[in-house]
Amino acid sequence: MNPFTFARAQDAADAVRQGAVAGSRYLGGGTNLVDLMRETVERPSRLVDVSGLPQQIEERPDGSLLVGAAVKNTALAEHLAVRTRFPMLSRAIASGASGQIRNMATVAGNILQRTRCSYFYDHEGAHCNKRNPGEGCDAIEGVHRMHAVLGASSACIATHPSDMCVALAALDAVVHLQGAGGARQVAFTGFHLLPQDHPERETVLQPGELITAIEIPPLAFGANSTYRKVRDRASYAFALVSVAAALEVEDGVVKDVRLALGGVAHKPWRARTLEQMLRGQPASASYFEAAARAEMADARPLRDNAFKIPLAQRTMVAVLDRLATVHS
């Protein structure tokens, strides 16, 4: 048992003040942090409960949404504006976990959840640079079927576990932060970090900084979007590959497209190469296939996860083909 103190924040400013104490961690739904504490992977000396902060979803006149960090995943997925304007987000959240977990998990907690790599959790028997920098990564020569093929490094090949975050990356969401130095905003696609030489640095958060909200900008073609998750079983499984995509087609030509991948990298992977290739091109399977191959061209598989490359390509093509068919 690792002793810790517990405090409940009254508001964001109070949370930041309490979170500035060394060894503090913010506690939202606790669905990942509490597990890590049980395994003694996380050992905070102080928990600051932020679950009581505002749980509002504000619909703005321009069509954007401002989602409070303490909003529960279920509430976000079931919100009418999300289901009608951004269905990829609603479907991603529904794919993420059991109903009980979604009822507890918060938006900010989902964003900050940590990898489920078994070597990261095995603090007694495995080497892990994410847990102990400089120790090594046993996953590289070990069991790595579920691990990254894009953006990995010799220091870490873990994947980001979130489904919701894949949709937020595709939607160009913005993270609102508050810390001792004031408030700031960070593009969601830049919030999570690739491992490089420092896999222990997972986000751009500064010590004691708090996520206060997520902003989802308006997207004119957001209604024509979806999320597809490929996994080993129908429930309670993390993605082998997932795709969040929105597509706008005009006269048979791709006018605009947004696409992000999950299950293949240390962070939600925005498919910039694919998007650039498809804009202005015919909305046909052959062009989708070429763009998907180009997106995965830099993939670097290991012994047991090379299957993720063709799987990701086929899933991207299938999702885009479906959206193009629905659009027409």
Side-chain angles (χ1 to χ4, degrees):
M1 174 69 69
N2 295 299
F4 61 88
T5 59
F6 179 87
R8 181 169 287 112
Q10 300 302 311
D11 52 31
D14 183 42
V16 170
R17 180 182 61 78
Q18 297 197 55
V21 178
S24 295
R25 289 294 306 274
Y26 294 122
L27 178 70
T31 59
N32 185 215
L33 177 58
V34 172
D35 286 344
L36 291 168
M37 291 173 65
R38 287 195 186 105
E39 298 295 331
T40 66
V41 175
E42 293 267 11
R43 301 182 181 185
S45 59
R46 179 182 177 85
L47 291 180
V48 180
D49 183 357
V50 294
S51 61
L53 298 185
Q55 301 182 21
Q56 298 175 341
I57 301 176
E58 177 187 344
E59 297 185 55
R60 292 174 161 181
D62 65 353
S64 64
L65 297 178
L66 188 66
V67 182
V71 168
K72 298 297 196 298
N73 283 187
T74 295
L76 182 59
E78 294 181 351
H79 195 280
L80 179 61
V82 175
R83 290 190 289 112
T84 55
R85 297 183 214 164
F86 313 107
M88 71 159 79
L89 178 56
S90 181
R91 292 169 186 169
I93 295 171
S95 298
S98 68
Q100 293 91 334
I101 291 176
R102 295 196 301 270
N103 289 341
M104 284 296 297
T106 63
V107 170
N110 188 309
I111 293 169
L112 293 175
Q113 65 179 303
R114 307 191 72 184
T115 184
R116 295 322 196 273
C117 174
S118 59
Y119 297 98
F120 172 65
Y121 273 76
D122 185 5
H123 65 95
E124 292 184 350
H127 299 97
C128 175
N129 288 316
K130 181 179 290 294
R131 191 180 62 246
N132 296 309
E135 187 175 72
C137 175
D138 280 352
I140 292 175
E141 298 295 333
V143 179
H144 52 239
R145 177 176 173 270
M146 296 288 292
H147 287 63
V149 295
L150 289 169
S153 75
S154 59
C156 183
I157 59 171
T159 55
H160 194 273
S162 175
D163 293 284
M164 183 190 78
C165 288
V166 182
L168 290 176
L171 290 168
D172 278 334
V174 178
V175 186
H176 290 237
L177 305 173
Q178 186 169 333
R184 65 178 179 130
Q185 299 178 17
V186 176
F188 194 85
T189 52
F191 181 77
H192 296 97
L193 301 174
L194 292 176
Q196 300 178 331
D197 296 329
H198 294 282
E200 75 280 7
R201 300 177 188 168
E202 298 177 347
T203 72
V204 299
L205 280 174
Q206 299 298 317
E209 206 165 25
L210 175 73
I211 297 176
T212 57
I214 303 298
E215 181 181 347
I216 304 173
L219 183 63
F221 59 101
N224 190 43
S225 69
T226 194
Y227 181 79
R228 183 172 297 187
K229 181 177 183 179
V230 183
R231 45 190 163 177
D232 286 326
R233 57 185 188 274
S235 63
Y236 309 113
F238 293 100
L240 295 169
V241 167
S242 65
V243 173
L247 184 68
E248 182 179 23
V249 177
E250 189 174 280
D251 297 327
V253 174
V254 175
K255 185 177 180 181
D256 205 352
V257 59
R258 302 279 187 84
L259 192 143
L261 292 163
V264 297
H266 198 257
K267 59 183 285 186
W269 188 268
R270 183 67 178 272
R272 303 285 189 188
T273 298
L274 175 143
E275 292 177 357
Q276 184 175 2
M277 286 185 64
L278 287 182
R279 292 187 181 103
Q281 300 299 322
S284 65
S286 61
Y287 283 90
F288 296 157
E289 290 167 2
R293 285 195 300 271
E295 186 60 49
M296 300 303 294
D298 291 333
R300 296 292 180 266
L302 295 169
R303 181 191 63 242
D304 298 327
N305 64 359
F307 74 94
K308 284 193 173 190
I309 298 174
L311 180 60
Q313 292 170 354
R314 291 196 300 269
T315 306
M316 285 187 277
V317 172
V319 168
L320 291 169
D321 190 58
R322 177 184 178 277
L323 292 174
T325 302
V326 171
H327 197 283
S328 62

